[in-house]
């Protein structure tokens, strides 16, 4: 990673760490936390009142997104969902409700302060089917082919390596899996310099891809059925947009579903080497199943 990219990532981290601290410290005030300052194009006002009413005030106050990805991803009971750049946890908690106790919602964030806030919010809601992971969206700390749906709310535009984000998203999705994200997207007529004139990088403007660049990036990673639909303007020539795409059901990718299936068969367990692993034979333990099959993954 170049020095400029490293500096940009640190600037982004500092901005969102400060936002989390502001919400956390405000939570001890008599009137609750003050929302992080954003205009009407961003924040919790973009969520339905019924959704907002189910969430802690701190989750709403820390919302900095440009849309509501849980409303566009068409989540189903039992699915495994991953939120890229999960912040204070608003989309993870809403996803957890939609997929139910047989599903699971993961949140991925690189900021310690946001992760601490998200965990506190999860405890307040009593959610048990959520897990927050520390890491970057360019190197997702999950096995290949394990996620049904990837969501994100105005975060991919903040990445310093968007091709890596698209490739990692494709990798962790199961064949037939899908993405349903909201993001800031620029008109195709705007140059990178013109985008920078309309807002800074941490404000989700300067780093935004154009519609054509977004489509090309997803298709280069292997996605099909790419749809990018603008919803509202966030600056001149800059739009909040819904982005949908699908990982093909059949793929030549060597480390996706075929690799996962082979590992499961070898180990005699499902979801091998993850927190959800279970022995395929209910009469044995996971340890016994692995030992009997000679699996290399014994831990």
């Amino acid at each position: 990673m170049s020095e400029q990219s490293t500096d940009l990532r640190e600037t982004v981290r500092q901005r969102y760490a400060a936002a989390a601290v502001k919400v956390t410290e405000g939570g001890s005030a008599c009137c609750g936390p003050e929302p992080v300052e954003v205009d009407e194009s961003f924040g919790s006002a973009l969520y339905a009142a019924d959704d907002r009413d189910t969430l802690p005030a701190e989750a709403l106050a820390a919302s900095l997104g440009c849309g509501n990805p849980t409303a566009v991803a068409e989540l189903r009971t039992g699915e495994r969902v991953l939120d890229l750049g999960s912040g204070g946890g608003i989309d993870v908690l809403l996803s957890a409700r939609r997929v139910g106790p047989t599903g699971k919602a993961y949140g991925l964030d690189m900021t310690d302060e946001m992760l601490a806030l998200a965990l506190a919010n999860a405890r307040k809601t009593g959610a048990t089917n959520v897990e927050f992971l520390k890491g970057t969206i360019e190197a997702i700390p999950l096995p290949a082919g394990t996620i049904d749906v990837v969501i994100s709310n105005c975060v991919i535009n903040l990445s310093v390596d968007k091709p890596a984000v698209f490739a990692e998203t494709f990798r962790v999705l199961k064949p037939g899996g899908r993405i349903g994200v909201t993001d800031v997207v620029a008109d195709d007529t705007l140059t990178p310099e013109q985008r920078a004139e309309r807002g800074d990088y941490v404000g989700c403007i300067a780093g935004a891809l154009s519609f054509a660049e977004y489509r090309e990036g997803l298709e280069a990673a292997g996605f099909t059925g790419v749809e990018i639909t603008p919803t509202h303007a966030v600056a001149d020539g800059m739009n909040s947009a819904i982005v949908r795409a699908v990982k093909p059901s059949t793929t030549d990718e060597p480390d996706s579903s075929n690799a996962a299936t082979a590992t499961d068969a070898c180990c005699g367990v499902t979801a091998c080497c993850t927190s959800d692993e279970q022995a395929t034979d209910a009469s044995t333990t996971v340890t016994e199943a692995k030992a009997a099959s000679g699996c290399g993954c014994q831990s």
Side-chain angles (χ1 to χ4, degrees), residues 242-254:
I242 296 168
V243 182
R244 295 184 176 96
V246 177
K247 179 173 180 175
S249 297
T250 57
T251 175
D252 294 331
E253 185 185 28

Side-chain angles (χ1 to χ4, degrees), residues 92-93 96-97 99-105 121-132 275-276:
V92 174
L93 298 177
R97 288 179 55 220
V99 301
T102 60
K104 187 164 185 177
N121 288 331
R123 287 192 293 269
K124 289 175 182 177
T125 64
T128 58
N129 60 336
V130 302
E131 183 175 345
F132 290 97
S275 59
D276 297 320

